[in-house]
Amino acid sequence: MKNLSDINVIKSVMGKHGVTFNKGLGQNFLVDPQVCPAMAEAAGLDENTCAIEIGPGVGVLTAELAKRAGKVLSFELDRRLLPVLKETLEDFSNVEIINEDVMKANLPQIIEEKCKGMDVVVCANLPYYITSPIIMMLLESRLPLKAITVMVQKEAADRLCAQVGSRDGGAVTVAVNYYAESEELFFVPSDSFLPPPKVNSEVIRLTIRKEPPVKVENEEFFFKTVKAAFSQRRKTAENSISAGLGIGKDKVAEAISKAGLEKTIRAEKLTMEDFARLAELLG
Ligand code: SAM
């Protein structure tokens, strides 16, 4: 088997198939030999697990997943990489490469068809230009996932895994916390990639909750309230929610007071319970 984290091997196999790095698609490939085995270990795989990967590149993480999981479904948008992957993953019979944009693929149907009876997890070194959209799509489409173990930009990791009610928190923090328990696993410096990106990275794990941590009657309105509250971070939650939801300030002020909160509170200080209560009072 080829050593897919060896820079010379990557360059040679890409050169052979006439493939160059496409920056626009977030193509920074892992070259630190310790990172992919550690990610695959953290993903919690066994022979009854179907691992979904987004963006295999030349297949360095895919191979580690294939060694540990019953099945690997790997979505790669760049069709130029298909002949490369055919060659690099030839030793594995449990890998299927799906040449689709993961944001457009019918994941519920694909998982239903191809991962029947198996535990399903996501493990990927995500393309950074669409990190949050991918994570939100995976969470919001209520796929039957156990966990999502992914490499993301360090700053994105901090936001995704922040405590709700802390300075690092944002609308995406609340959304992640609603669906999953998050953990920052390990730091990965930029020189672990070819070509090295301008930013450092981190591997995080989101373990999907069976039940959300708060009871919410109308999820759509709950998330609208959260987005509105964070839409103008420097303003008070009262002003941002009023402007974002188009609800009069008096009504929002009344809800904030009824929820037992200070009039000048900002979104970053609100807890999951506060957001749930405000959405209930305003909905
Ligand atoms: N897994 C490889 C590694 O760790 O070396 C490559 C990771 S690279 C950061 C991201 C990969 O995602 C690239 O192969 C890129 O072509 C692919 N990609 C980008 N956008 C995508 C999309 N919308 N759907 C599927 N794959 C995508």
Side-chain angles (χ1 to χ4, degrees):
M1 227 199 90
K2 287 190 170 65
N3 177 1
L4 296 174
S5 52
D6 181 323
I7 294 180
N8 293 323
V9 171
I10 299 174
K11 284 186 176 161
S12 139
V13 75
M14 286 176 72
K16 181 173 163 193
H17 294 281
V19 184
T20 48
F21 290 96
N22 181 333
K23 252 191 172 180
L25 286 180
Q27 289 181 353
N28 302 96
F29 297 161
L30 272 162
V31 291
D32 178 334
Q34 293 181 355
V35 173
C36 291
M39 285 182 75
E41 282 298 314
L45 310 170
D46 62 23
E47 61 279 13
N48 192 42
T49 310
C50 184
I52 311 240
E53 187 190 16
I54 296 147
V58 297
V60 63
L61 176 61
T62 326
E64 296 302 325
L65 299 175
K67 285 180 202 166
R68 295 165 175 85
K71 198 175 212 177
V72 182
L73 300 180
S74 192
F75 290 84
E76 176 53 65
L77 176 58
D78 187 351
R79 58 166 38 253
R80 299 173 313 153
L81 288 167
L82 301 187
V84 173
L85 289 161
K86 197 163 182 226
E87 182 177 332
T88 58
L89 299 172
E90 66 184 354
D91 293 343
F92 298 101
S93 56
N94 59 344
V95 177
E96 186 174 339
I97 305 292
I98 302 176
N99 180 211
E100 276 191 59
D101 179 341
V102 73
M103 295 300 289
K104 296 189 183 143
N106 187 343
L107 283 178
Q109 193 185 328
I110 293 172
I111 290 175
E112 166 72 22
E113 271 173 29
K114 299 184 188 280
C115 308
K116 242 196 168 69
M118 301 178 89
D119 291 336
V120 187
V121 303
V122 170
C123 186
N125 172 12
L126 290 179
Y128 292 173
Y129 75 103
I130 43 168
T131 299
S132 288
I134 291 178
I135 291 180
M136 290 320 300
M137 176 276 287
L138 293 172
L139 293 172
E140 284 171 353
S141 38
R142 289 262 157 76
L143 299 167
L145 302 178
K146 288 188 88 172
I148 300 172
T149 306
V150 280
M151 171 98 65
V152 299
Q153 190 178 324
K154 175 73 178 105
E155 288 70 21
D158 290 343
R159 178 139 295 194
L160 290 162
C161 299
Q163 293 268 2
V164 176
S166 76
R167 258 184 77 176
D168 282 343
V172 77
T173 317
V174 178
V176 165
N177 208 271
Y178 186 78
Y179 295 109
E181 279 180 62
S182 59
E183 291 163 88
E184 298 186 70
L185 296 185
F186 54 92
F187 178 80
V188 183
S190 70
D191 62 5
S192 305
F193 299 86
L194 179 75
K198 290 201 180 79
V199 294
N200 291 316
S201 300
E202 193 162 74
V203 175
I204 64 169
R205 180 169 54 207
L206 310 178
T207 305
I208 308 302
R209 294 182 192 275
K210 292 204 169 70
E211 295 287 338
V214 285
K215 210 171 161 309
V216 167
E217 290 296 331
N218 180 343
E219 277 184 0
E220 199 186 330
F221 186 70
F222 169 76
F223 286 118
K224 272 191 184 159
T225 308
V226 172
K227 275 190 193 134
F230 283 104
S231 62
Q232 304 177 57
R233 286 181 80 93
R234 296 225 182 92
K235 296 202 171 166
T236 60
E238 180 184 309
N239 281 333
S240 329
I241 292 175
S242 167
L245 292 181
I247 295 179
K249 260 199 203 170
D250 290 353
K251 194 170 176 213
V252 180
E254 192 186 319
I256 286 188
S257 159
K258 270 195 186 161
L261 300 166
E262 275 180 34
K263 190 172 166 52
T264 53
I265 198 160
R266 288 169 201 265
E268 64 196 36
K269 292 269 186 239
L270 297 171
T271 63
M272 291 299 276
E273 289 73 20
D274 296 335
F275 279 116
R277 182 89 175 104
L278 288 176
E280 186 185 273
L281 289 162
L282 292 167

